[in-house]
PDB file of all heavy atoms in Angstrom:
ATOM      1  N   VAL A 102      -4.465  -9.786   4.372  1.00 90.00           N
ATOM      2  CA  VAL A 102      -4.330 -11.229   4.608  1.00 90.00           C
ATOM      3  C   VAL A 102      -2.943 -11.555   5.155  1.00 90.00           C
ATOM      4  O   VAL A 102      -1.990 -10.783   4.985  1.00 90.00           O
ATOM      5  CB  VAL A 102      -4.579 -12.081   3.330  1.00 90.00           C
ATOM      6  CG1 VAL A 102      -5.997 -11.902   2.833  1.00 90.00           C
ATOM      7  CG2 VAL A 102      -3.575 -11.746   2.250  1.00 90.00           C
ATOM      8  N   ASN A 103      -2.850 -12.705   5.808  1.00 88.00           N
ATOM      9  CA  ASN A 103      -1.562 -13.161   6.332  1.00 88.00           C
ATOM     10  C   ASN A 103      -0.525 -13.232   5.220  1.00 88.00           C
ATOM     11  O   ASN A 103      -0.821 -13.691   4.126  1.00 88.00           O
ATOM     12  CB  ASN A 103      -1.702 -14.567   6.944  1.00 88.00           C
ATOM     13  CG  ASN A 103      -2.415 -14.522   8.278  1.00 88.00           C
ATOM     14  OD1 ASN A 103      -2.415 -13.486   8.952  1.00 88.00           O
ATOM     15  ND2 ASN A 103      -3.019 -15.626   8.659  1.00 88.00           N
ATOM     16  N   GLY A 104       0.643 -12.770   5.529  1.00 91.00           N
ATOM     17  CA  GLY A 104       1.731 -12.869   4.565  1.00 91.00           C
ATOM     18  C   GLY A 104       1.860 -11.651   3.661  1.00 91.00           C
ATOM     19  O   GLY A 104       2.827 -11.512   2.923  1.00 91.00           O
ATOM     20  N   ALA A 105       0.870 -10.763   3.704  1.00 93.00           N
ATOM     21  CA  ALA A 105       0.909  -9.584   2.831  1.00 93.00           C
ATOM     22  C   ALA A 105       2.009  -8.615   3.256  1.00 93.00           C
ATOM     23  O   ALA A 105       2.539  -7.853   2.444  1.00 93.00           O
ATOM     24  CB  ALA A 105      -0.440  -8.874   2.838  1.00 93.00           C
ATOM     25  N   GLY A 106       2.352  -8.666   4.550  1.00 95.00           N
ATOM     26  CA  GLY A 106       3.385  -7.756   5.048  1.00 95.00           C
ATOM     27  C   GLY A 106       2.859  -6.784   6.094  1.00 95.00           C
ATOM     28  O   GLY A 106       3.454  -5.728   6.319  1.00 95.00           O
ATOM     29  N   LYS A 107       1.747  -7.141   6.745  1.00 96.00           N
ATOM     30  CA  LYS A 107       1.136  -6.253   7.737  1.00 96.00           C
ATOM     31  C   LYS A 107       2.079  -5.911   8.885  1.00 96.00           C
ATOM     32  O   LYS A 107       2.317  -4.757   9.180  1.00 96.00           O
ATOM     33  CB  LYS A 107      -0.093  -6.923   8.362  1.00 96.00           C
ATOM     34  CG  LYS A 107      -1.377  -6.694   7.648  1.00 96.00           C
ATOM     35  CD  LYS A 107      -2.544  -7.225   8.458  1.00 96.00           C
ATOM     36  CE  LYS A 107      -2.315  -8.613   9.020  1.00 96.00           C
ATOM     37  NZ  LYS A 107      -2.202  -9.665   8.042  1.00 96.00           N
ATOM     38  N   THR A 108       2.561  -6.966   9.559  1.00 96.00           N
ATOM     39  CA  THR A 108       3.369  -6.739  10.753  1.00 96.00           C
ATOM     40  C   THR A 108       4.627  -5.941  10.405  1.00 96.00           C
ATOM     41  O   THR A 108       4.997  -4.993  11.108  1.00 96.00           O
ATOM     42  CB  THR A 108       3.737  -8.090  11.400  1.00 96.00           C
ATOM     43  OG1 THR A 108       2.522  -8.820  11.619  1.00 96.00           O
ATOM     44  CG2 THR A 108       4.452  -7.892  12.717  1.00 96.00           C
ATOM     45  N   THR A 109       5.239  -6.316   9.308  1.00 96.00           N
ATOM     46  CA  THR A 109       6.430  -5.602   8.847  1.00 96.00           C
ATOM     47  C   THR A 109       6.099  -4.133   8.585  1.00 96.00           C
ATOM     48  O   THR A 109       6.856  -3.233   8.960  1.00 96.00           O
ATOM     49  CB  THR A 109       6.952  -6.259   7.549  1.00 96.00           C
ATOM     50  OG1 THR A 109       7.084  -7.660   7.781  1.00 96.00           O
ATOM     51  CG2 THR A 109       8.271  -5.686   7.114  1.00 96.00           C
ATOM     52  N   THR A 110       4.951  -3.898   7.961  1.00 97.00           N
ATOM     53  CA  THR A 110       4.537  -2.530   7.653  1.00 97.00           C
ATOM     54  C   THR A 110       4.291  -1.727   8.927  1.00 97.00           C
ATOM     55  O   THR A 110       4.681  -0.558   9.020  1.00 97.00           O
ATOM     56  CB  THR A 110       3.273  -2.540   6.761  1.00 97.00           C
ATOM     57  OG1 THR A 110       3.598  -3.166   5.519  1.00 97.00           O
ATOM     58  CG2 THR A 110       2.757  -1.132   6.495  1.00 97.00           C
ATOM     59  N   LYS A 113       7.671  -0.771  10.280  1.00 97.00           N
ATOM     60  CA  LYS A 113       8.317   0.277   9.481  1.00 97.00           C
ATOM     61  C   LYS A 113       7.608   1.619   9.666  1.00 97.00           C
ATOM     62  O   LYS A 113       8.236   2.682   9.713  1.00 97.00           O
ATOM     63  CB  LYS A 113       8.272  -0.080   7.997  1.00 97.00           C
ATOM     64  CG  LYS A 113       9.063  -1.298   7.554  1.00 97.00           C
ATOM     65  CD  LYS A 113       8.740  -1.502   6.075  1.00 97.00           C
ATOM     66  CE  LYS A 113       9.290  -2.756   5.486  1.00 97.00           C
ATOM     67  NZ  LYS A 113       8.743  -2.968   4.113  1.00 97.00           N
ATOM     68  N   ARG A 134      -2.119 -15.989  16.140  1.00 80.00           N
ATOM     69  CA  ARG A 134      -0.782 -16.565  16.018  1.00 80.00           C
ATOM     70  C   ARG A 134       0.110 -15.870  17.036  1.00 80.00           C
ATOM     71  O   ARG A 134       0.362 -14.670  16.937  1.00 80.00           O
ATOM     72  CB  ARG A 134      -0.220 -16.340  14.614  1.00 80.00           C
ATOM     73  CG  ARG A 134      -0.997 -17.028  13.507  1.00 80.00           C
ATOM     74  CD  ARG A 134      -0.366 -16.732  12.164  1.00 80.00           C
ATOM     75  NE  ARG A 134      -0.215 -15.289  11.961  1.00 80.00           N
ATOM     76  CZ  ARG A 134       0.776 -14.738  11.296  1.00 80.00           C
ATOM     77  NH1 ARG A 134       1.749 -15.479  10.796  1.00 80.00           N
ATOM     78  NH2 ARG A 134       0.829 -13.434  11.146  1.00 80.00           N
ATOM     79  N   GLN A 140       6.629 -11.270  16.731  1.00 95.00           N
ATOM     80  CA  GLN A 140       7.254 -10.545  15.614  1.00 95.00           C
ATOM     81  C   GLN A 140       7.068  -9.034  15.793  1.00 95.00           C
ATOM     82  O   GLN A 140       7.999  -8.259  15.562  1.00 95.00           O
ATOM     83  CB  GLN A 140       6.589 -11.015  14.319  1.00 95.00           C
ATOM     84  CG  GLN A 140       7.325 -10.635  13.043  1.00 95.00           C
ATOM     85  CD  GLN A 140       6.443 -10.924  11.817  1.00 95.00           C
ATOM     86  OE1 GLN A 140       5.524 -11.745  11.876  1.00 95.00           O
ATOM     87  NE2 GLN A 140       6.725 -10.241  10.734  1.00 95.00           N
ATOM     88  N   ASP A 183      -2.078  -3.791  14.590  1.00 96.00           N
ATOM     89  CA  ASP A 183      -1.889  -4.900  13.656  1.00 96.00           C
ATOM     90  C   ASP A 183      -3.036  -5.883  13.872  1.00 96.00           C
ATOM     91  O   ASP A 183      -3.300  -6.282  15.007  1.00 96.00           O
ATOM     92  CB  ASP A 183      -0.544  -5.581  14.001  1.00 96.00           C
ATOM     93  CG  ASP A 183      -0.115  -6.593  12.962  1.00 96.00           C
ATOM     94  OD1 ASP A 183      -0.662  -6.585  11.845  1.00 96.00           O
ATOM     95  OD2 ASP A 183       0.794  -7.392  13.281  1.00 96.00           O
ATOM     96  N   THR A 245       2.994  -3.700  -0.793  1.00 94.00           N
ATOM     97  CA  THR A 245       4.294  -4.210  -0.358  1.00 94.00           C
ATOM     98  C   THR A 245       4.978  -5.016  -1.461  1.00 94.00           C
ATOM     99  O   THR A 245       4.355  -5.383  -2.453  1.00 94.00           O
ATOM    100  CB  THR A 245       4.149  -5.137   0.865  1.00 94.00           C
ATOM    101  OG1 THR A 245       3.332  -6.246   0.493  1.00 94.00           O
ATOM    102  CG2 THR A 245       3.532  -4.411   2.042  1.00 94.00           C
ATOM    103  N   LYS A 246       6.227  -5.289  -1.249  1.00 92.00           N
ATOM    104  CA  LYS A 246       7.046  -6.141  -2.117  1.00 92.00           C
ATOM    105  C   LYS A 246       7.144  -5.612  -3.546  1.00 92.00           C
ATOM    106  O   LYS A 246       7.169  -6.367  -4.507  1.00 92.00           O
ATOM    107  CB  LYS A 246       6.505  -7.583  -2.083  1.00 92.00           C
ATOM    108  CG  LYS A 246       6.342  -8.076  -0.629  1.00 92.00           C
ATOM    109  CD  LYS A 246       5.889  -9.504  -0.513  1.00 92.00           C
ATOM    110  CE  LYS A 246       5.394  -9.772   0.907  1.00 92.00           C
ATOM    111  NZ  LYS A 246       4.979 -11.136   1.144  1.00 92.00           N
ATOM    112  N   LEU A 247       7.145  -4.290  -3.654  1.00 88.00           N
ATOM    113  CA  LEU A 247       7.342  -3.686  -4.974  1.00 88.00           C
ATOM    114  C   LEU A 247       8.798  -3.791  -5.390  1.00 88.00           C
ATOM    115  O   LEU A 247       9.119  -3.668  -6.567  1.00 88.00           O
ATOM    116  CB  LEU A 247       6.921  -2.216  -4.956  1.00 88.00           C
ATOM    117  CG  LEU A 247       5.527  -1.891  -5.498  1.00 88.00           C
ATOM    118  CD1 LEU A 247       5.351  -0.386  -5.598  1.00 88.00           C
ATOM    119  CD2 LEU A 247       5.260  -2.533  -6.853  1.00 88.00           C
ATOM    120  N   ASP A 248       9.680  -4.006  -4.421  1.00 85.00           N
ATOM    121  CA  ASP A 248      11.086  -4.211  -4.755  1.00 85.00           C
ATOM    122  C   ASP A 248      11.193  -5.497  -5.557  1.00 85.00           C
ATOM    123  O   ASP A 248      10.671  -6.530  -5.184  1.00 85.00           O
ATOM    124  CB  ASP A 248      11.942  -4.305  -3.479  1.00 85.00           C
ATOM    125  CG  ASP A 248      11.358  -5.287  -2.459  1.00 85.00           C
ATOM    126  OD1 ASP A 248      10.162  -5.161  -2.125  1.00 85.00           O
ATOM    127  OD2 ASP A 248      12.090  -6.190  -2.029  1.00 85.00           O
ATOM    128  N   GLY A 271       5.993  -0.706   0.069  1.00 94.00           N
ATOM    129  CA  GLY A 271       7.036  -1.482   0.730  1.00 94.00           C
ATOM    130  C   GLY A 271       8.100  -1.850  -0.280  1.00 94.00           C
ATOM    131  O   GLY A 271       7.800  -2.358  -1.356  1.00 94.00           O
ATOM    132  N   LEU A 272       9.348  -1.550   0.074  1.00 91.00           N
ATOM    133  CA  LEU A 272      10.431  -1.742  -0.894  1.00 91.00           C
ATOM    134  C   LEU A 272      11.508  -2.675  -0.368  1.00 91.00           C
ATOM    135  O   LEU A 272      12.656  -2.630  -0.808  1.00 91.00           O
ATOM    136  CB  LEU A 272      11.043  -0.378  -1.237  1.00 91.00           C
ATOM    137  CG  LEU A 272      10.068   0.621  -1.888  1.00 91.00           C
ATOM    138  CD1 LEU A 272      10.652   2.015  -1.890  1.00 91.00           C
ATOM    139  CD2 LEU A 272       9.715   0.183  -3.292  1.00 91.00           C
ATOM    140  N   GLY A 273      11.166  -3.495   0.615  1.00 92.00           N
ATOM    141  CA  GLY A 273      12.142  -4.423   1.175  1.00 92.00           C
ATOM    142  C   GLY A 273      11.748  -4.827   2.579  1.00 92.00           C
ATOM    143  O   GLY A 273      10.711  -4.393   3.088  1.00 92.00           O
ATOM    144  N   GLU A 274      12.567  -5.649   3.203  1.00 93.00           N
ATOM    145  CA  GLU A 274      12.224  -6.201   4.510  1.00 93.00           C
ATOM    146  C   GLU A 274      12.787  -5.400   5.682  1.00 93.00           C
ATOM    147  O   GLU A 274      12.493  -5.686   6.832  1.00 93.00           O
ATOM    148  CB  GLU A 274      12.702  -7.655   4.590  1.00 93.00           C
ATOM    149  CG  GLU A 274      12.060  -8.531   3.531  1.00 93.00           C
ATOM    150  CD  GLU A 274      12.440  -9.990   3.677  1.00 93.00           C
ATOM    151  OE1 GLU A 274      11.733 -10.708   4.398  1.00 93.00           O
ATOM    152  OE2 GLU A 274      13.466 -10.390   3.085  1.00 93.00           O
ATOM    153  N   ASP A 278      12.518   0.434   4.761  1.00 94.00           N
ATOM    154  CA  ASP A 278      12.013   0.103   3.427  1.00 94.00           C
ATOM    155  C   ASP A 278      10.522   0.353   3.239  1.00 94.00           C
ATOM    156  O   ASP A 278       9.809  -0.459   2.655  1.00 94.00           O
ATOM    157  CB  ASP A 278      12.336  -1.361   3.108  1.00 94.00           C
ATOM    158  CG  ASP A 278      13.827  -1.606   3.011  1.00 94.00           C
ATOM    159  OD1 ASP A 278      14.550  -0.658   2.653  1.00 94.00           O
ATOM    160  OD2 ASP A 278      14.269  -2.729   3.295  1.00 94.00           O
TER     161      ASP A 278
HETATM  162  P1  GDP B   1       1.757 -10.414   7.742  1.00 52.75           P
HETATM  163  O1  GDP B   1       1.416 -11.859   7.894  1.00 52.75           O
HETATM  164  O2  GDP B   1       0.798  -9.723   6.815  1.00 52.75           O
HETATM  165  O3  GDP B   1       1.922  -9.691   9.028  1.00 52.75           O
HETATM  166  O4  GDP B   1       3.148 -10.357   6.940  1.00 52.75           O
HETATM  167  P2  GDP B   1       4.628 -10.136   7.502  1.00 52.75           P
HETATM  168  O5  GDP B   1       4.809  -8.723   7.928  1.00 52.75           O
HETATM  169  O6  GDP B   1       4.959 -11.201   8.463  1.00 52.75           O
HETATM  170  O7  GDP B   1       5.468 -10.298   6.150  1.00 52.75           O
HETATM  171  C1  GDP B   1       5.511 -11.504   5.423  1.00 52.75           C
HETATM  172  C2  GDP B   1       6.861 -11.607   4.714  1.00 52.75           C
HETATM  173  O8  GDP B   1       6.972 -10.618   3.720  1.00 52.75           O
HETATM  174  C3  GDP B   1       8.029 -11.399   5.657  1.00 52.75           C
HETATM  175  O9  GDP B   1       9.053 -12.295   5.306  1.00 52.75           O
HETATM  176  C4  GDP B   1       8.468  -9.968   5.375  1.00 52.75           C
HETATM  177  O10 GDP B   1       9.834  -9.748   5.635  1.00 52.75           O
HETATM  178  C5  GDP B   1       8.157  -9.862   3.895  1.00 52.75           C
HETATM  179  N1  GDP B   1       7.913  -8.480   3.461  1.00 52.75           N
HETATM  180  C6  GDP B   1       7.045  -7.587   3.998  1.00 52.75           C
HETATM  181  N2  GDP B   1       7.078  -6.418   3.300  1.00 52.75           N
HETATM  182  C7  GDP B   1       7.988  -6.574   2.309  1.00 52.75           C
HETATM  183  C8  GDP B   1       8.473  -5.722   1.236  1.00 52.75           C
HETATM  184  O11 GDP B   1       8.056  -4.566   1.038  1.00 52.75           O
HETATM  185  N3  GDP B   1       9.418  -6.250   0.415  1.00 52.75           N
HETATM  186  C9  GDP B   1       9.887  -7.518   0.573  1.00 52.75           C
HETATM  187  N4  GDP B   1      10.803  -7.949  -0.276  1.00 52.75           N
HETATM  188  N5  GDP B   1       9.460  -8.335   1.556  1.00 52.75           N
HETATM  189  C10 GDP B   1       8.522  -7.877   2.418  1.00 52.75           C
END
Side-chain angles (χ1 to χ4, degrees):
V102 297
N103 286 336
K107 271 188 314 294
T108 306
T109 309
T110 297
K113 294 175 187 171
R134 296 180 307 147
Q140 194 191 337
D183 190 16
T245 61
K246 309 183 196 182
L247 261 188
D248 49 308
L272 299 167
E274 300 185 89
D278 295 332

